[in-house]
Amino acid sequence: MYLKDELLDLSNSVFSHLPFPTFMTNKDGHIIWWSTEAENQYGYRLEDVQGPRAPLFNEHTYGHLAANWESILHQDEPIRFSPVVLYSKDRNPIKTSIVAKSILLNDDYYVFFQIESNTIQDTESSSFSELQLLKKGLSKSFMVAYLDKEGLILHANELFLKRSNWTPKRIVGKTFWQLFPNSSHHIAIADKIINTLQKGQVFQGTVEKITKDGVTYWVNMIALPITDTENHTLYHLLLEEEITEKKLIQTRLEQIAYVDTETGLMSRHRLEEIVNEHIQNDKYFSFVFISIDQFYTLKEIFNDQTESQLLNEFTKRLKIYFEESIIARAGRDEFAVITTLGEWYVQGFIQYLKQNPIYLDNKVVPITVSGAITRYPEDQQTYLHLLKATDTKIQQVKLEGGGMIANLSPSDHHKLTRRAQIEKRLLEALNQHDLHVLYLPQKDVLTNQITAVEALVRWDDDVLGIVSPEELIPIAEETGLINKIGSFMLEKVCEQAAIWQQKGLPIKVSFNSSIREFRDKNMVKTIRNMLDKYNCSPKLLQIEFTEKFALEAEAEKSIIGQMQTLQKDGVVFVLDDFGTGYASLRYLQLLPISKLKIDKSFVSSIMQQERLQKLVQGLIQFGQSLDVDVVAEGVETEEQFALLKQMGCDAVQGYYISRPIPAEEVEALLR
């Protein structure tokens, strides 16, 4: 039973038998416990004295306590207030003295008050008398023992003797340390308890003890220093409740959580704890992740029993080869090794497997592995980043055919570290509105006028510097923050389009959207609400999406329906990066597309390659045959612009027209 959780019950068990009125308050001075003797002498029940102003005190006494309250709470020695006047329930004044002693339990302060009483003899000088009074209440519920100031046992109750298997005569005079297993760890715990008591403090915790016959058992222990009003230690009181059965269950659950039952290796859960402990202790190590190649193909060849044999044989080889290292099972066919061995030795495991093949049913199983090595702290500094780095490398190794244990290059680790930093700071940037918008102008080829702009998110971080959209968007999609960026861009675009409209500059503004956003069934409502908020015409809004979006959207009727609804409102949908994605063009029939944008990769070399010119000419004609406008991206030279104009391209964008610029510079171009 923990004192923090069961404070009031323990107060009744321990202090109610004291032969003088006592009560206890919380750190705010509110009475939370009131002894039977206090009730008998003053007439109040607990509910009568609870609250901020107990009727027990007059104004003078209450003010005196309040003025000294901080001293009472934070002073180790008891404080006597004498004389004081206390009022009984029938309002009779009683002149007496009170002693206040603070108790710190689990970071919470409580104050124990003792009221001097003339109805009994002074018992402070006799710890034995108090002992007899306490024994009656405690012995029924707790294992109780009494120690002198040096830790020698003075007395133990029947429950204590029965569990420890000591006799009353044999236990007296034994040291406190003899109640614990004889190991440096347990001796250190006993030392800590005694030191705590000798400082006048309370110890509370779960400890492992030992019987006279050497059998271990577990208790929740509360150790209290018993002092007189002059703060002289009289003795130490131990209150114990056995929890051996609970502890065994806990140990069993930990074993289940920490040990892989099939191989006997450490579990992934325990692996994380061990790695974090190594990191906290600043130990250098290599985190090695190993995966069996083509494991599920092997599973189809063998039955479940043989699969288990295969895993256990593989485990044996890991244990032999990495004898002094920590090994864990991280997945069905994945293993992790925490080691200080060199890279060359770790990579030698590949050759060791060849020299020590696994036989099942007298046949060699052709096992190879893919692995990755990440070092702490040179490469990565947290468990999750170590895991991410090794997983990234293993995927690369598997794509290259497997059968190799490799590590990421310093450049790869730098990219992963930067990615992790972006993930960490992106949410903060969104919350603090650190993102901003630039606009890429789009020129109509026939009129030579700026008719639209593409809104581009920009992030210039104090720590990371400039984070490009090429870095930002994939990470935002992976972390699920793309929706927040999409909401941010939608609002900025509607706000800016409305501002330009009010200034007599009705220019279309586009922004990029993701399939994730349109899977929200309320997307139409969200866009309509934003347009209404800024009084922006739907005809000024363009939503761009990629071919990957298009391919996924064509299979989801709800997305197609939302797009069609918005098109009827006047919103324009633009297919971005056309020609770089999937070969299927069925989505062109299903989705309400009004514009195609030819990817800049086609435009960049258009002047050097005749075949590329024919391809771009074909894309333009293809788009126009569908009655959609065709926009060329990445136009950087006058020659490219002239050629695209000759080909019949409807509009162009790129550095030849303008770089991405703030809204006020767009206005300057329009005027």
Side-chain angles (χ1 to χ4, degrees):
M1 182 183 296
Y2 291 95
L3 187 58
K4 182 178 179 181
D5 298 330
E6 305 292 346
L7 179 63
L8 303 184
D9 289 342
L10 276 177
S11 299
N12 283 322
S13 301
V14 177
F15 301 121
S16 283
H17 301 284
L18 295 176
F20 33 73
T22 54
F23 62 92
M24 188 176 290
T25 73
N26 61 18
K27 64 182 178 182
D28 298 319
H30 299 171
I31 296 175
I32 60 171
W33 175 79
W34 181 256
S35 75
T36 303
E37 189 63 32
E39 183 177 334
N40 292 338
Q41 291 197 33
Y42 286 86
Y44 298 109
R45 298 175 65 84
L46 175 60
E47 53 266 29
D48 299 326
V49 293
Q50 288 178 311
R53 293 296 294 268
L56 181 70
F57 306 112
N58 62 14
E59 289 294 329
H60 175 76
T61 302
Y62 179 81
H64 194 47
L65 288 172
N68 292 276
W69 191 246
E70 287 300 315
S71 297
I72 295 172
L73 279 179
H74 299 105
Q75 187 166 310
D76 291 336
E77 295 78 17
I79 300 177
R80 176 188 290 273
F81 297 91
S82 178
V84 296
V85 176
L86 303 179
Y87 286 90
S88 63
K89 190 170 185 179
D90 56 13
R91 302 310 294 166
N92 285 329
I94 301 172
K95 188 176 182 180
T96 183
S97 299
I98 58 176
V99 177
K101 176 71 172 69
S102 69
I103 303 171
L104 179 61
L105 297 175
N106 286 352
D107 299 326
D108 284 331
Y109 283 99
Y110 303 89
V111 181
F112 179 77
F113 284 89
Q114 172 187 316
I115 306 173
E116 292 190 350
S117 174
N118 295 324
T119 62
I120 62 169
Q121 297 179 346
D122 184 6
T123 62
E124 289 184 8
S125 62
S126 175
S127 62
F128 181 77
S129 297
E130 186 175 310
L131 177 64
Q132 301 306 311
L133 292 165
L134 286 169
K135 282 174 64 177
K136 182 179 178 181
L138 298 174
S139 294
K140 294 181 181 179
S141 303
F142 302 98
M143 295 181 283
V144 183
Y146 304 82
L147 313 176
D148 69 9
K149 291 182 287 184
E150 303 304 321
L152 295 178
I153 298 171
L154 300 172
H155 178 76
N157 73 343
E158 185 178 346
L159 289 177
F160 191 101
L161 295 171
K162 183 178 179 180
R163 186 64 190 91
S164 64
N165 210 22
W166 287 95
T167 63
K169 290 183 179 180
R170 292 285 185 183
I171 200 168
V172 174
K174 298 296 181 185
T175 69
F176 178 67
W177 289 264
Q178 288 177 275
L179 304 177
F180 291 81
N182 185 23
S183 73
S184 58
H185 171 71
H186 292 93
I187 290 171
I189 292 174
D191 288 341
K192 177 183 177 182
I193 296 170
I194 290 296
N195 291 337
T196 301
L197 292 170
Q198 290 177 345
K199 291 176 183 176
Q201 299 172 354
V202 175
F203 172 85
Q204 175 187 351
T206 299
V207 296
E208 183 182 9
K209 297 182 64 183
I210 194 168
T211 68
K212 176 189 173 185
D213 307 317
V215 178
T216 59
Y217 64 102
W218 291 84
V219 299
N220 280 334
M221 176 188 290
I222 304 161
L224 303 160
I226 305 299
T227 60
D228 59 23
T229 56
E230 302 301 323
N231 203 34
H232 297 138
T233 300
L234 302 175
Y235 54 84
H236 301 141
L237 174 65
L238 304 182
L239 303 177
E240 297 176 354
E241 181 187 37
E242 185 175 4
I243 58 162
T244 303
E245 186 176 348
K246 293 178 182 177
K247 190 66 179 178
L248 290 174
I249 293 172
Q250 178 185 343
T251 301
R252 177 59 182 153
L253 290 174
E254 287 178 353
Q255 287 176 344
I256 293 172
Y258 290 166
V259 179
D260 175 61
T261 55
E262 189 170 18
T263 63
L265 293 173
M266 182 187 299
S267 71
R268 184 167 185 154
H269 175 69
R270 182 58 178 155
L271 169 70
E272 182 174 356
E273 291 186 351
I274 291 291
V275 171
N276 286 332
E277 287 171 10
H278 276 45
I279 291 172
Q280 288 171 7
N281 295 326
D282 203 25
K283 292 183 178 179
Y284 286 71
F285 63 91
S286 289
F287 184 83
V288 184
F289 212 77
I290 296 172
S291 174
I292 299 175
D293 292 332
Q294 290 86 41
F295 180 74
Y296 289 95
T297 301
L298 293 172
K299 274 186 65 173
E300 292 179 2
I301 299 173
F302 302 103
N303 56 36
D304 291 341
Q305 183 177 358
T306 310
E307 177 194 332
S308 184
Q309 292 174 359
L310 171 64
L311 289 169
N312 278 286
E313 287 297 323
F314 184 77
T315 298
K316 287 179 185 178
R317 283 152 180 78
L318 280 173
K319 288 179 176 179
I320 293 170
Y321 191 80
F322 296 104
E323 184 178 3
E324 300 297 326
S325 303
I326 297 169
I327 307 172
R329 188 177 183 189
R332 187 65 191 153
D333 60 326
E334 297 169 332
F335 301 83
V337 181
I338 309 302
T339 184
T340 56
L341 295 168
E343 182 180 316
W344 66 270
Y345 186 88
V346 173
Q347 292 172 335
F349 184 62
I350 298 288
Q351 188 62 29
Y352 176 79
L353 280 178
K354 293 178 181 178
Q355 295 170 351
N356 298 270
I358 294 174
Y359 289 87
L360 294 179
D361 297 330
N362 297 318
K363 295 179 180 179
V364 175
V365 181
I367 281 188
T368 62
V369 298
S370 296
I373 306 169
T374 307
R375 298 168 301 171
Y376 173 86
E378 298 96 320
D379 297 332
Q380 299 294 332
Q381 286 77 48
T382 70
Y383 171 75
L384 289 178
H385 293 158
L386 288 166
L387 199 63
K388 183 110 178 185
T390 50
D391 182 64
T392 299
K393 188 59 184 179
I394 279 183
Q395 299 310 316
Q396 291 180 9
V397 170
K398 285 183 176 290
L399 287 173
E400 293 170 5
M404 180 172 61
I405 300 175
N407 55 11
L408 287 172
S409 67
S411 173
D412 290 331
H413 279 296
H414 175 73
K415 290 176 183 176
L416 280 173
T417 300
R418 179 171 171 82
R419 183 183 180 90
Q421 289 177 321
I422 292 173
E423 289 178 7
K424 184 177 179 180
R425 295 186 62 81
L426 177 55
L427 185 58
E428 184 178 340
L430 285 164
N431 291 338
Q432 296 182 5
H433 308 292
D434 287 344
L435 302 182
H436 63 279
V437 180
L438 295 179
Y439 299 90
L440 184 63
Q442 191 178 105
K443 178 178 284 189
D444 184 284
V445 172
L446 290 178
T447 64
N448 216 32
Q449 299 294 313
I450 303 298
T451 55
V453 292
E454 180 182 354
L456 303 171
V457 63
R458 288 293 185 268
W459 179 21
D460 190 356
D461 184 73
D462 293 339
V463 175
L464 301 168
I466 296 175
V467 182
S468 67
E470 289 76 14
E471 279 188 298
L472 176 61
I473 299 306
I475 293 173
E477 288 179 341
E478 186 176 317
T479 58
L481 293 174
I482 193 67
N483 284 16
K484 286 198 170 186
I485 293 178
S487 298
F488 166 80
M489 292 298 290
L490 172 63
E491 180 160 12
K492 289 296 183 183
V493 163
C494 291
E495 180 183 21
Q496 189 59 58
I499 290 172
W500 283 331
Q501 184 180 27
Q502 291 165 7
K503 292 182 177 181
L505 304 170
I507 183 173
K508 289 180 167 51
V509 185
S510 68
F511 74 103
N512 290 275
S513 187
S514 70
I515 191 73
R516 186 191 293 264
E517 293 171 272
F518 268 83
R519 286 200 172 106
D520 181 355
K521 62 181 179 181
N522 295 315
M523 188 63 175
V524 170
K525 182 179 178 182
T526 299
I527 291 175
R528 284 175 170 174
N529 288 343
M530 197 62 68
L531 290 167
D532 290 342
K533 178 180 178 179
Y534 293 103
N535 194 26
C536 177
S537 169
K539 295 180 180 179
L540 299 177
L541 181 63
Q542 298 187 147
I543 299 177
E544 299 192 14
F545 58 92
T546 64
E547 288 185 285
K548 181 182 177 183
F549 176 120
L551 193 70
E552 293 184 46
E554 72 171 77
E556 300 186 37
K557 292 182 180 179
S558 61
I559 294 178
I560 297 174
Q562 290 199 91
M563 294 175 72
Q564 289 173 338
T565 300
L566 288 169
Q567 186 192 43
K568 290 176 183 176
D569 289 349
V571 174
V572 172
F573 285 95
V574 182
L575 181 62
D576 197 12
D577 301 335
F578 181 61
T580 63
Y582 299 88
S584 171
L585 298 177
R586 184 169 176 268
Y587 55 77
L588 291 171
Q589 295 176 300
L590 298 175
L591 303 182
I593 297 170
S594 300
K595 284 186 180 181
L596 297 177
K597 296 179 78 173
I598 298 174
D599 186 70
K600 60 184 178 182
S601 62
F602 295 112
V603 176
S604 61
S605 301
I606 194 172
M607 302 307 298
Q608 289 79 38
Q609 299 181 35
E610 185 177 344
R611 291 187 65 184
L612 199 54
Q613 292 178 16
K614 293 180 179 179
L615 176 59
V616 171
Q617 178 75 71
L619 291 175
I620 293 172
Q621 292 175 347
F622 174 74
Q624 292 173 344
S625 70
L626 297 175
D627 292 326
V628 299
D629 290 338
V630 179
V631 181
E633 298 181 289
V635 178
E636 297 185 354
T637 66
E638 184 178 357
E639 291 78 13
Q640 291 172 346
F641 176 77
L643 180 59
L644 289 164
K645 181 176 182 179
Q646 180 184 336
M647 290 179 175
C649 190
D650 297 293
V652 297
Q653 67 181 51
Y655 287 179
Y656 174 69
I657 308 303
S658 171
R659 290 178 177 271
I661 54 178
E664 55 271 19
E665 293 186 31
V666 173
E667 293 179 21
L669 281 179
L670 293 172
R671 296 184 189 282

